[in-house]
Amino acid sequence: MLKRTLIGLLRSHEQTGDKAKDPLLKSHFYKLSKDKAWEEVISTLKKMQGYKVLHEVQSVGEIVMEKRTMSGRTMDITVSVISVNPLTSAVDVYSASRGSLGDLGSNYRVILEIYRVLDKKLGAFKVNS
């Protein structure tokens, strides 16, 4: 976590993906069709405390959310639900803080929190890659 805080002095964004070096930032895969995964993800995200869903586009699988930090900064978060094949979907997250300077690792922690909540809800469908 100290490493993330130091990186966060300079960087104010974080994202997940298949090729992420950090194993905690790898895409999460679920044994659900894109439509079913979309329904589960959007309903879960709407219930998360402190997050506000601003925009959702099911056709492209994107959900745009906002989170305000205790220091008054605003974080913009994009959650993507991607169809890998007809029976498997992936969820990726991009989080960026508004304003100058770094985020002290808060985007990293937000992504981990979102993944933790989704894995709790969709744990039965999680595919370990």
Side-chain angles (χ1 to χ4, degrees):
M1 220 26 114
L2 177 64
K3 178 184 169 192
R4 283 288 154 194
T5 303
L6 293 175
I7 290 170
L9 288 172
L10 303 172
R11 194 165 58 180
S12 61
H13 65 86
E14 198 67 66
Q15 68 184 26
T16 64
D18 286 346
K19 295 176 174 62
K21 289 183 178 110
D22 185 332
L24 296 175
L25 293 179
K26 295 237 183 233
S27 301
H28 284 214
F29 295 90
Y30 301 99
K31 203 89 167 136
L32 291 168
S33 68
K34 182 183 176 194
D35 291 336
K36 184 67 178 154
W38 171 268
E39 291 171 22
E40 295 291 340
V41 169
I42 192 72
S43 71
T44 303
L45 294 178
K46 283 182 176 178
K47 293 175 189 165
M48 284 182 72
Q49 293 291 318
Y51 294 84
K52 181 176 166 188
V53 174
L54 300 177
H55 193 65
E56 54 186 88
V57 184
Q58 185 172 359
S59 59
V60 293
E62 276 195 0
I63 302 157
V64 178
M65 304 186 331
E66 183 179 83
K67 176 180 171 70
R68 295 207 183 271
T69 63
M70 285 189 282
S71 62
R73 290 183 79 176
T74 302
M75 300 168 80
D76 297 309
I77 304 155
T78 303
V79 179
S80 302
V81 180
I82 304 143
S83 177
V84 177
N85 62 46
L87 299 174
T88 309
S89 299
V91 176
D92 277 316
V93 183
Y94 176 84
S95 180
S97 297
R98 293 184 198 164
S100 59
L101 297 174
D103 64 3
L104 300 177
S106 60
N107 286 302
Y108 179 77
R109 291 187 296 277
V110 161
I111 289 173
L112 296 184
E113 179 185 3
I114 289 170
Y115 270 164
R116 192 171 38 253
V117 169
L118 289 176
D119 286 349
K120 189 174 179 183
K121 170 86 174 181
L122 303 172
F125 304 104
K126 189 160 181 3
V127 176
N128 293 326
S129 50

